[in-house]
Amino acid sequence: MPLSEASPTADYAAAVEALALRLLDALNRSAVSGTVADHVRDAADAKAALAAVRVLGPDVFAPALLCSTAPGEGDLEVVDEALVVFPWVPGQQSEAACLAQATAALLARHGGRTTGMTSCGAEDAVHGFVAEGLPWRPWSQRMARLSPLALPGVHPAVTTVACERSLDLARGMTRALLRRDYPTAARLARWVALAHSHSAAVDVNVSGVVRHLSLCGAVGARMTLDLAIIRHVIARSAAVGEDMP
Amino acid sequence: MSSSSVLSLGSVLAGPAEQAAVTTLVTEPEAPVSGAPVYAPEANGLLLNLLLLSPKEPKEPKEPEGE
């Protein structure tokens, strides 16, 4: 098979890890501006770098959201470019479409240009996808894939659904832990931590789960980023006077 | 490569294979390897056979009658 026809999945996965590492560094240093733009500028394959932006979706705004600073102008342009190069099908109900729509909404919220796309109605579409009455196992898997939405203030309606089904999130997280599927456990722990920060009744020791995952399962940059985001959510929650379990 | 040259990619839309790669990464399935114990019905027969075929428990040797 010629190289041009080979699946770029492995290259894109490596780019995702590289971008996650940059976001993790930005989160730790509270240095937000230029993170995403530098990622694309320094990449050998700019399209793979844009694909990483598209895969991580709202997580590219995580340092800005958690450090309460604004992303750089170049960052916003790169996010817009990623949405143009990897567009979503309007009306399609899927995790990829939800992440794209949420990313477009965040881009518009931060004053970025949304070329040829509109985020109108996007929040309703994402909410409808999440609020489907699935049993807890497939629903928690869906929520694990949508974990980039588990950031403070990204999507209040989806966060409300997560709070209402916090027990299902805890079930899914526990199941992933028992299966030693640590990436899925970390992604669901993000939702559990976010739900708890919104005073949802979750009788789960999220801090203990994060510690366990850090010691046993954090082998990739993306998962380490997930755990860092959880710690920020817990710290923010504690700062406003709520004790995490 | 500057940021502006990156933005020149705007006219190059991703092809089906590239779109599919992004979708694959977003809809990542559960980890296939699991260390959790799983139900194995054939293990019932194995345990039963081992129980039936196992040797009897050893008994204390009989003391000689002369003593």
Side-chain angles (χ1 to χ4, degrees):
Chain A
M1 179 184 292
L3 283 176
S4 59
E5 293 181 9
S7 172
T9 306
D11 293 340
Y12 289 5
V16 168
E17 284 291 300
L19 178 56
L21 195 60
R22 284 182 184 268
L23 293 171
L24 181 64
D25 184 54
L27 199 57
N28 291 334
R29 294 190 297 112
S30 299
V32 174
S33 183
T35 305
V36 184
D38 290 348
H39 161 71
V40 177
R41 186 193 62 219
D42 299 340
D45 183 353
K47 209 166 203 178
L50 291 174
V53 174
R54 182 70 170 73
V55 170
L56 288 179
D59 269 351
V60 299
F61 292 97
L65 291 167
L66 294 170
C67 300
S68 300
T69 55
E73 191 68 30
D75 298 329
L76 298 178
E77 290 179 6
V78 165
V79 173
D80 178 43
E81 186 70 19
L83 291 172
V84 171
V85 175
F86 295 94
W88 78 85
V89 180
Q92 186 187 26
Q93 290 283 300
S94 68
E95 288 89 349
C98 284
L99 291 184
Q101 290 166 345
T103 307
L106 276 173
L107 188 61
R109 191 190 303 175
H110 283 89
R113 182 185 53 164
T114 52
T115 307
M117 300 206 174
T118 175
S119 59
C120 292
E123 301 212 346
D124 291 339
V126 176
H127 175 257
F129 186 64
V130 171
E132 285 181 16
L134 294 175
W136 69 269
R137 273 178 58 176
W139 183 77
S140 62
Q141 288 177 28
R142 176 176 290 184
M143 293 300 278
R145 291 168 177 165
L146 293 176
S147 65
L149 295 176
L151 286 166
V154 166
H155 204 306
V158 171
T159 303
T160 302
V161 175
C163 291
E164 291 168 354
R165 297 192 66 175
S166 57
L167 180 60
D168 290 343
L169 289 171
R171 282 176 176 150
M173 183 184 71
T174 306
R175 176 175 180 269
L177 278 173
L178 291 173
R179 295 184 72 249
R180 300 180 193 175
D181 182 0
Y182 295 138
T184 300
R187 291 168 192 172
L188 287 172
R190 285 183 58 171
W191 282 114
V192 173
L194 187 67
H196 195 277
S197 72
H198 284 75
S199 303
V202 189
D203 194 14
V204 176
N205 187 341
V206 184
S207 300
V209 170
V210 171
R211 187 165 53 250
H212 178 80
L213 292 173
S214 301
L215 293 172
C216 301
V219 292
R222 186 173 183 187
M223 185 172 163
T224 310
L225 175 65
D226 284 333
L227 297 179
I229 289 172
I230 296 171
R231 291 193 186 95
H232 270 78
V233 170
I234 291 174
R236 285 167 62 102
S237 177
V240 295
E242 297 178 13
D243 290 328
M244 295 297 291
Chain B
M1 184 187 295
S2 67
S3 180
S4 59
S5 66
V6 166
L7 298 181
S8 66
L9 276 172
S11 59
V12 185
L13 288 180
E18 294 164 328
Q19 287 275 14
V22 167
T23 304
T24 300
L25 289 173
V26 170
T27 57
E28 190 178 354
E30 289 185 320
V33 178
S34 167
V38 293
Y39 176 64
E42 66 273 13
N44 291 338
L46 178 65
L47 290 175
L48 189 61
N49 284 333
L50 287 175
L51 189 65
L52 292 175
L53 297 176
S54 60
K56 294 180 179 177
E57 292 181 9
K59 294 180 178 177
E60 290 291 332
K62 292 181 180 177
E63 294 181 359
E65 292 181 357
E67 295 182 3

